[in-house]
Amino acid sequence: MRGTRALTAAVMLALAGTSVALAQTQAPEAASQAESSDSFAPPEQAPPFFDYAIGLGYEHTDNVDRVATNPTSQDILQPTLNFTFNQQGSKIQAQAVGLVQYTDYLQGYFGNEFRGQLSGVLNWIISPQRLNLDVEDYSSVQPVNTRLSNSPANQQQVNIFVAGPTLSFRLGDALLGQADLRYIDTSASKTKDFNSQRGLGALRVIRDLSATASLSGNFEAANVDFNNSAPLTNTQRYTEYNAYARYQSQLAHLDMDLSLGGSQVDFSHSSSNYSGALIRAALAWRLTPRNSLQFNASDQLDDSTSNLMQPPNLVDASLTNPAVQVGRTVISPAVFRDRNVNLGYLYRGPRFGFTLTPYYSRLRQLNGNDLSQDGYGAVATATYLIRPLLTLGVTVGDQTTKYTSGNSRDRDRTYGVNLARQLTPHWSWSVTFNHDGRHSTRPGFGYNENQVLAALYYRR
């Protein structure tokens, strides 16, 4: 059963955050009054919000292995638990979005297994504006080898656990200092050379320019020690340094997050040091109440761990998502020069919704070129409210990946149609048809697969 321990730990973190936050909500009134005497008045305690949905899915696929020849059909039963949690209190802030699924291959072609995904963050305010404790967990299903198809045999559970304190201190009337110390543990159920422990330290100086804008100077140092990576790969141990300035602004219609600086990585088994620019830009422009535009770009040193640490997104979390989403991250101890850019357009109307996201990425491995690649493509989705309780959705995706090693190219195309019906305030059903296909310049690596998935959900 792949990744059961990592998945269990991830779910337990989310439930622990839930129980701590619930306990905080029920704290005695006397304790609340004692805290109010602090010179910094804490925000009002918000009631915790926990939502969940239990579903049962039935899937049929005509190519469960995603192979070019002799495909195997399979029927799959998938009980699923989706949940979200949000608590914003004076002592505890916690957010979590998660999905746990049991997959039963009815014809026994693969062994039954638990799979799941979680993004959870808990912030414990030990002393207001002085000392916080941060605990995070990120669990997902990723491919073992991104050059192969996403068959069940090429999937694994990946988990990242983060914990450590943040100390805040004043450097004057206008400047705030911040020191972070983090322990990070990474693990993968199959790619064992990804397993590592790392320590991260950071110093930051933050200046508020206005009520909606801030400027900070940041210095970060991380020491990474992999458990099983061979010394000859120059990735058994390395140290990474980042120094950059960051500008953040939140206006009525435009949010900006801009970083500019430099990075360096020192490998323990190599005399070579790699350095380069650190550039990040994220812009969110709300054109009208129904139209928004988002732009993200970066040029930086990067690895698998930082790509997988994505904060919970409660706004777009779907409690009736019938399947675990398999990612595309390269699970490896390698360090990359990562250049990417993507543009997202979103329209939300009373009955019709539409999104379009074109993207481009360029990965160059610093300690070899086996995993170096270029990728580009686009994803488009559309939803239409046929009736007040009946929604039709369409998804189209097209991605091309060019590999430096072997000079090969894969083109992946995805088409999906979904029909969802709300029966009562608690009960709903959905039926989804998906077609996935790959055309590859490597003989025998292409495939076509058709899936039909029906799901019944009970939502709290």
Side-chain angles (χ1 to χ4, degrees), residues 29-88:
E29 183 179 352
S32 175
Q33 293 173 350
E35 290 166 3
S36 65
S37 63
D38 195 287
S39 57
F40 299 102
E44 288 205 12
Q45 183 81 9
F49 176 78
F50 179 67
D51 204 356
Y52 67 87
I54 301 174
L56 180 63
Y58 183 87
E59 176 186 340
H60 175 79
T61 170
D62 64 0
N63 189 357
V64 67
D65 261 339
R66 296 191 171 186
V67 293
T69 58
N70 300 320
T72 299
S73 297
Q74 190 78 181
D75 297 309
I76 304 171
L77 196 63
Q78 296 175 330
T80 302
L81 169 66
N82 300 64
F83 62 90
T84 61
F85 178 77
N86 184 26
Q87 163 67 22
Q88 301 300 316

Side-chain angles (χ1 to χ4, degrees), residues 382-393:
T383 58
Y384 181 71
L385 190 63
I386 300 174
R387 295 201 299 266
L389 300 176
L390 185 65
T391 304
L392 176 67

Side-chain angles (χ1 to χ4, degrees), residues 399-420:
Q399 172 172 303
T400 298
T401 307
K402 297 180 179 179
Y403 298 96
T404 302
S405 175
N407 196 29
S408 61
R409 181 178 65 182
D410 295 341
R411 185 175 184 182
D412 295 282
R413 293 179 176 176
T414 301
Y415 311 96
V417 179
N418 172 265
L419 187 66

